[in-house]
Amino acid sequence: MNEILNMSMNEMAEADFDCSCGRHHSLPIKKIAIGKGVLKELPGVAAEFKGKQVYMISDNNTWKAAGEKAHAFLVNDGFKVKSHMFETGNEILIPDEAVMGRVLMEMPLDTALIVSVGSGTLNDMGKFLSSRTGVPYIIVCTAPSMDGYVANGAPLICGGRKISFVATLAYGVVGDTDVMKDAPMHMIHAGLGDVLGKLTALTDWSLAVEMIDEYRCDTCVKLVEKALKRCIDNAAALKERNEEAILYLIEALTLTGVTMAIVGVSRPASGSEHLLSHYWEMDFITRNKYPELHGVKVGIATPIVAEIYEILGADIPEATRKLCPKRAFVEELLNSAGAMISPKEVGIERELFYRSLLNANAVRNRYSVFQYAKDIGRLEEVTQKITERIYGK
């Protein structure tokens, strides 16, 4: 039982087991290859589709990072590949209706496999396209920037709002640390922010168990905690692009994705910190402003959520209170890696910040510390205190 706790990351593909939580879990991902130099293993991961049409999507940045080599590995091994690269220049690729329409229009009718080369956006595009066409997809990771590589949700922009669509899990994941260690440092910081968000996500999950008797899988909690520890212990080395630290970062991101996949909900990886991040992002997109990387905003939001728990203090059930990190601890981890800490650093004005704390809980139907603070009549007090600390009186 729970043999998955003793498996390496790459051994977890197609895991299938009866869990101590009382449920049966399975991970339908066929192949996981994460480590040094594994990009060359892509033809082996995709071997089932050799001789059939492969559709590769990338942008100009991810093409340079790994797409060109991935394409060559496949073609040289006898694969038939059509590649579509989005020219974005220095702009961020926004996965809205126009972009998703274009990626579908470029897809050959006889496509048997989709290969996405990228991180957050291109991965979300690939999995959404896969879920709507029934064609499996492989993700070639180019940055350790987020935890969605093995998750089945696809956050896309629709009608100006960020909506997390139910999509599908990847057929395979290829994450080469030789590629990811050279990712823009801002993306590495985003990955660290997303990982640290698990600290408050697990706290929120505990609060939901205590307050509304929500289901929780302790095996998933242990997997996330194990991954968190190694990443946190090596956080400071990320600013040096230390290969071991990068490996622990992508493993932590992937493992939290695995837990979401086997438990069927995003609770192990997403809590109040994600609600804040999504609120800020939707506001920025509505105003045609650059929304900043998801993980960067999650990293900034995490110590804020930790502070909410600190302010509520004894009002929080004891079992949950023991889990939550201190704001200073999270900020020090971010600072040690050179990551941003303040919402002001990403252009979040006082009014938006104040409003986000009051309204973030409406972003998703999920029990959180925001809902708890509202239920006990302390949300406005908490919002005022934190806003004044950051922006002044």
Side-chain angles (χ1 to χ4, degrees):
M1 184 180 290
N2 293 347
E3 293 91 345
I4 197 168
L5 289 172
N6 299 315
M7 290 180 180
S8 70
M9 184 73 260
N10 293 345
E11 291 172 335
M12 290 182 184
E14 297 190 288
D16 190 79
F17 63 100
D18 291 318
C19 184
S20 57
C21 75
R23 298 188 182 184
H24 183 84
H25 297 317
S26 60
L27 182 67
I29 294 173
K30 302 290 185 184
K31 304 281 180 65
I32 299 176
I34 292 176
K36 182 178 176 62
V38 298
L39 185 58
K40 64 180 179 292
E41 296 179 21
L42 176 59
V45 173
E48 180 184 339
F49 306 94
K50 192 169 182 178
K52 300 177 182 178
Q53 179 68 58
V54 176
Y55 176 40
M56 178 180 288
I57 58 174
S58 64
D59 65 25
N60 50 288
N61 295 309
T62 65
W63 175 258
K64 291 176 185 176
E68 188 172 8
K69 286 183 179 178
H71 186 273
F73 282 134
L74 289 172
V75 170
N76 292 340
D77 203 65
F79 285 81
K80 178 184 176 184
V81 185
K82 176 188 175 178
S83 173
H84 177 69
M85 181 187 73
F86 285 93
E87 280 284 1
T88 61
N90 294 321
E91 299 297 318
I92 188 171
L93 183 63
I94 302 292
D96 58 13
E97 298 92 334
V99 168
M100 287 307 305
R102 179 67 186 279
V103 81
L104 179 61
M105 291 171 71
E106 295 286 346
M107 182 175 177
L109 284 173
D110 59 345
T111 298
L113 175 69
I114 299 162
V115 176
S116 284
V117 182
S119 54
T121 295
L122 281 150
N123 181 53
D124 291 333
M125 290 164 59
K127 72 175 71 172
F128 183 82
L129 188 63
S130 172
S131 69
R132 269 43 179 188
T133 61
V135 177
Y137 90 104
I138 290 171
I139 178 65
V140 176
C141 317
T142 56
S145 55
M146 52 93 221
D147 60 14
Y149 288 123
V150 293
N152 64 357
L156 304 172
I157 303 302
C158 184
R161 289 182 58 82
K162 186 169 187 177
I163 300 173
S164 188
F165 292 91
V166 175
T168 189
L169 291 171
Y171 173 92
V173 180
V174 178
D176 193 330
T177 55
D178 284 338
V179 173
M180 291 186 286
K181 69 180 175 61
D182 291 329
M185 184 55 68
H186 199 51
M187 299 189 80
I188 294 172
H189 288 159
L192 177 62
D194 209 1
V195 166
L196 295 182
K198 313 320 169 203
L199 293 167
T200 47
L202 292 180
T203 308
D204 261 11
W205 202 4
S206 170
L207 184 64
V209 171
E210 294 288 330
M211 300 309 301
I212 60 172
D213 197 28
E214 189 173 308
Y215 160 74
R216 178 180 59 190
C217 173
D218 287 337
T219 299
C220 288
V221 172
K222 289 175 185 175
L223 276 173
V224 175
E225 288 176 339
K226 180 180 178 181
L228 266 170
K229 185 178 187 313
R230 290 207 298 185
C231 185
I232 286 171
D233 288 347
N234 291 272
L238 288 171
K239 64 184 176 185
E240 308 299 333
R241 301 183 183 274
N242 177 277
E243 195 159 323
E244 190 173 63
I246 294 292
L247 176 62
Y248 292 149
L249 176 59
I250 189 58
E251 282 188 344
L253 291 165
T254 307
L255 266 173
T256 53
V258 166
T259 60
M260 287 190 281
I262 65 175
V263 82
V265 294
S266 60
R267 269 294 189 189
S270 173
S272 295
E273 72 296 324
H274 276 66
L275 297 179
L276 276 179
S277 175
H278 290 325
Y279 192 97
W280 297 334
E281 182 166 352
M282 288 188 296
D283 180 271
F284 273 39
I285 289 172
T286 299
R287 293 188 283 148
N288 294 314
K289 290 182 64 177
Y290 171 61
E292 190 50 77
L293 294 176
H294 165 76
V296 169
K297 298 193 301 293
V298 170
I300 289 170
T302 299
I304 291 165
V305 175
E307 185 175 6
I308 295 173
Y309 276 101
E310 287 183 51
I311 293 171
L312 294 179
D315 279 343
I316 298 291
E318 185 178 3
T320 299
R321 196 164 66 245
K322 289 179 179 178
L323 281 178
C324 195
K326 298 296 183 185
R327 172 176 68 87
F329 173 73
V330 182
E331 289 183 344
E332 177 52 37
L333 286 171
L334 290 166
N335 186 58
S336 72
M340 291 189 284
I341 296 170
S342 171
K344 293 190 290 187
E345 292 179 84
V346 292
I348 296 169
E349 306 94 342
R350 181 190 185 102
E351 187 274 333
L352 170 59
F353 182 82
Y354 188 89
R355 177 163 40 91
S356 69
L357 264 63
L358 288 179
N359 300 317
N361 200 54
V363 169
R364 184 176 295 173
N365 184 22
R366 167 164 294 177
Y367 193 85
S368 68
V369 73
F370 288 119
Q371 184 63 51
Y372 180 77
K374 183 177 180 180
D375 289 345
I376 64 172
R378 297 191 63 189
L379 183 56
E380 289 189 10
E381 169 206 340
V382 165
T383 298
Q384 191 71 31
K385 282 185 177 180
I386 298 176
T387 302
E388 289 182 356
R389 177 185 66 79
I390 295 173
Y391 294 88
K393 293 187 178 181

